[in-house]
Amino acid sequence: MSAVVDFPVKPETRPYLEAVAGSPGEPEWLMQHRRRALARFAELGFPSRHGEAWRYLDLRPLEQAPLRPLAATEVEAARAGGDPASAWPAAGLRLTLLDGRFAPELSRLGEMPATVWFGSMRDAIVRRPDLVGEALEALAADRDQPFAALNAGVFGDGFTLAVPEGVVVEPPIEILHLASGRSTASFHTRSLVTLGAASRVRLVEIYTGEGRYWRNDVVAVRLARGAAIDRVALVEEADAALHLAVFDATLGPDARLSSTALLLAGGTLRHDAVVRCQGEGARCGLYGAYLAAGRQQANFVTTLDHCAPRGETREVFKGVAADRAHGAFQGRITVRPNAQKVDAHMLSRNLLLGAHAAVDTKPELEIFADDVKCSHGATVGDLDATALFYLLSRGIRRADARRMLIDAFLREPVDRVEPASLRDHLLARLSARLAVLEET
Amino acid sequence: MEFPSLMLEIRNLHARLGDGREILKGIDLAVTAGEVHAIMGPNGSGKSTLAAVLAGREGYEVTAGEVTYLGRDLLALAADERAREGLFLDFQYPVEIPGVNNMYFLRAALNAQRRHRGEPELDAGQFLRAVRAKLKELEIGEDLLQRAVNVGFSGGEKKRNEIFQMAMLEPRLAILDETDSGLDIDALRVVATGVNRQRRSDRAIILITHYQRLLNYVEPDRVHVLLAGRIVESGDKSLALELERGGYAAFGSVG
């Protein structure tokens, strides 16, 4: 599928439409999905900064130098070598996606209950189309968000996790996204997690790599009644990398989602969380922190839709922008007319360090129900001068004192992560990143 | 002795706030190693400004005068350098720092000072042993250890934490800024005992206080009365008792 298209095409999308998507012998239903999604991408084009949704990200470098999707045949075998520093050392189960493709030799799929399906997306398409077929098409983001549409059109692989009713998977499952640095290209991964009633999993997504690349990742999560997921994303991409990720979740009645995302390294980073609390009593916690320095751009976008009564949302996002970096938080919580007794709070706190750094924060509430408890707050400020003086007055060097305060500021969203070994890993990565920035 | 006996010498020190208001209007003071000096004065007399200027807090401008500390120009040093040279400020209002563990903070401070002196840093185990010994000596509970710096501490706990930090950092010159304010009698006793244990022939302590109460527990060698930015009277401990009886008005205009 390439070359000849008979729908309206925005010029900047052309390099992607000409790329080879999928792989030979894919089922017809998937080919149809891909064609429809690409048509949508071609029609939408790259987002304009004049629109609200992409106001805070400068994507001109990508328009000027396209990063074409890597074809399956171009992915080389994984090289030997130790785990990258970003990987969680205590991970038991690990699925590695190298340059966007499942790398079995770098994975440990381990022992799972027999009823749990866990493997690559490509494998699931062949062997379990019943699990993935409908969900590959059904994301709202694919209609509205151009890069999600592109992802649906050209994704190469991803992971699939399906947990049946009542099953609890105790050990956290790590998804390790690597970029080898051998290809200047884009990696489009698409993954699906379906959790049956009262099932539970912990997911750890690590994104890291070398070289210049564009990672375009979409993860869809479906939670049935009473299901629960605790999800952590650690983003430490290469300095020249572009990272766009969409985490799309639908919560059934009494389902519970907790997501903690850390954006620590990478040239341009955007993390989108799109959550629909569809069932009554669904609870959602979205937490995040970004640390942007140099000329980095980091952007958290959350879109929360309460469609049912008695839902609960907590959002806490923290950001630090230094040097010439630009950080942004855009959060929207919508409460539909029938979604009474919703309790939703959103907080964005930011440190602006340096005259050339920039922070934007834009929390929004759209409330159509009358019996709800909703609030939002946003702050942008400098380090607390009194606290800084207190540390200095004990002999701690200025650079160390500043680092301690930044670390302390950013760790709050991480402090609730379980298990402790995972939390410690995240905090260690945060400290390591701060130490690197201090030296430059 | 390897240290000069004159520890701190302040000559004609003038300082003003960022808004231009002059607070210190010519302070002269000499403190010798081994001594405890009390500086007493009413609210607004410049007590806390003097402490802040000596510790190197930003927001004050020294417009005249000089301060010599252990033979060096104190005012030329940044706040953290002063601390590493052995100056300690006990805060009137210890600062809460959420997210920074009390022990992590104190170990970083102690090791920064040890590095500066060319001494080996303490590892976690050595540090913890030193901490436990010191807490026991000061009769302070170990519950302060695991919390963030001063977060959720009562007023008394904060002041105990200051004294504990002072004991761990072993300064040459300690300036205690109204350490007695807001303390009940038990906390005051713990703090005063801590201060008395810190008295050494090679260390000087400056107690800044509004009230004579603390001086019942910590006996000063010298007492100074600070009024409207100047030291208007100096004497021995009997001066404090005189103040207690007659108030500051006997020494001139308070405002």
Side-chain angles (χ1 to χ4, degrees), chain A residues 384-398 400 404-405 407-409 411 415, chain B residues 57-58 79-80 83-84 88-89 91 95 97-100 104-105 109 112-113 149-150 162 165:
Chain A
D384 179 351
T386 315
L388 184 62
F389 176 63
Y390 192 75
L391 298 179
L392 295 175
S393 78
R394 298 307 185 239
I396 296 172
R397 287 176 188 278
R398 180 170 284 269
D400 294 334
M404 284 170 82
L405 293 177
D407 193 308
F409 175 79
R411 63 187 294 149
D415 270 337
Chain B
R57 187 172 204 148
E58 287 170 14
D80 54 322
R84 290 195 296 276
F88 180 89
L89 174 64
F91 280 58
V95 183
I97 311 182
V100 176
Y104 173 74
F105 150 70
Q113 300 204 12
V149 178
N150 292 320
E162 295 289 293
Q165 288 174 35

Side-chain angles (χ1 to χ4, degrees), chain A residues 107-401:
Chain A
S107 301
R108 295 190 295 267
L109 299 193
E111 294 285 308
M112 279 279 196
T115 51
V116 174
W117 174 271
F118 178 47
S120 75
M121 174 57 83
R122 188 156 289 287
D123 195 23
I125 287 167
V126 176
R127 292 165 59 192
R128 292 297 303 271
D130 58 308
L131 285 179
V132 296
E134 197 181 335
L136 283 178
E137 179 185 38
L139 295 189
D142 300 346
R143 290 188 296 274
D144 310 331
Q145 219 255 47
F147 301 120
L150 173 63
N151 178 291
V154 302
F155 73 89
D157 210 340
F159 70 92
T160 303
L161 173 64
V163 182
E165 184 174 343
V167 173
V168 173
V169 182
E170 272 303 337
I173 297 168
E174 185 188 66
I175 309 298
L176 182 57
H177 291 263
L178 299 178
S180 67
R182 285 185 298 249
S183 308
T184 299
S186 53
F187 314 130
H188 304 261
T189 43
R190 198 171 186 86
S191 302
L192 180 67
V193 177
T194 49
L195 300 181
S199 68
R200 200 175 80 219
V201 292
R202 293 179 189 277
L203 197 61
V204 184
E205 292 165 86
I206 312 279
Y207 301 85
T208 189
E210 292 164 32
R212 176 165 184 263
Y213 56 91
W214 169 19
R215 190 190 307 290
N216 184 21
D217 182 52
V218 173
V219 177
V221 180
R222 302 284 173 266
L223 285 81
R225 176 182 292 277
I229 183 168
D230 291 282
R231 173 261 185 173
V232 164
L234 172 63
V235 180
E236 292 192 287
E237 300 279 26
D239 289 341
L242 165 64
H243 169 106
L244 303 179
V246 174
F247 180 79
D248 177 293
T250 304
L251 277 62
D254 299 317
R256 186 181 62 76
L257 159 71
S258 168
S259 167
T260 305
L262 271 184
L263 309 183
L264 295 186
T268 298
L269 311 169
R270 172 167 160 141
H271 184 278
D272 254 285
V274 183
V275 181
R276 282 164 308 280
C277 288
Q278 230 161 41
E280 200 169 329
R283 286 178 298 152
C284 168
L286 298 179
Y287 311 100
Y290 68 78
L291 174 60
R295 291 179 174 275
Q296 265 183 284
Q297 302 184 80
N299 201 172
F300 275 117
V301 184
T302 68
T303 311
L304 221 131
D305 193 351
H306 277 286
C307 324
R310 276 183 285 282
E312 192 183 295
T313 290
R314 291 290 177 275
E315 292 191 35
V316 179
F317 284 85
K318 290 208 167 175
V320 172
D323 306 328
R324 293 178 172 275
H326 187 179
F329 170 80
Q330 289 165 272
R332 174 184 293 159
I333 297 177
T334 304
V335 182
R336 306 254 169 192
N338 66 321
Q340 301 294 358
K341 308 274 185 201
V342 159
D343 183 343
H345 303 278
M346 171 166 45
L347 184 62
S348 159
R349 294 188 60 205
N350 304 275
L351 291 180
L352 184 56
L353 307 179
H356 301 289
V359 165
D360 288 286
T361 173
K362 196 167 156 255
E364 290 177 285
L365 298 173
E366 281 187 323
I367 301 171
F368 302 102
D370 50 20
D371 183 14
V372 298
K373 249 169 53 185
C374 294
S375 72
H376 65 74
T379 61
V380 180
D382 199 348
L383 287 175
D384 179 351
T386 315
L388 184 62
F389 176 63
Y390 192 75
L391 298 179
L392 295 175
S393 78
R394 298 307 185 239
I396 296 172
R397 287 176 188 278
R398 180 170 284 269
D400 294 334

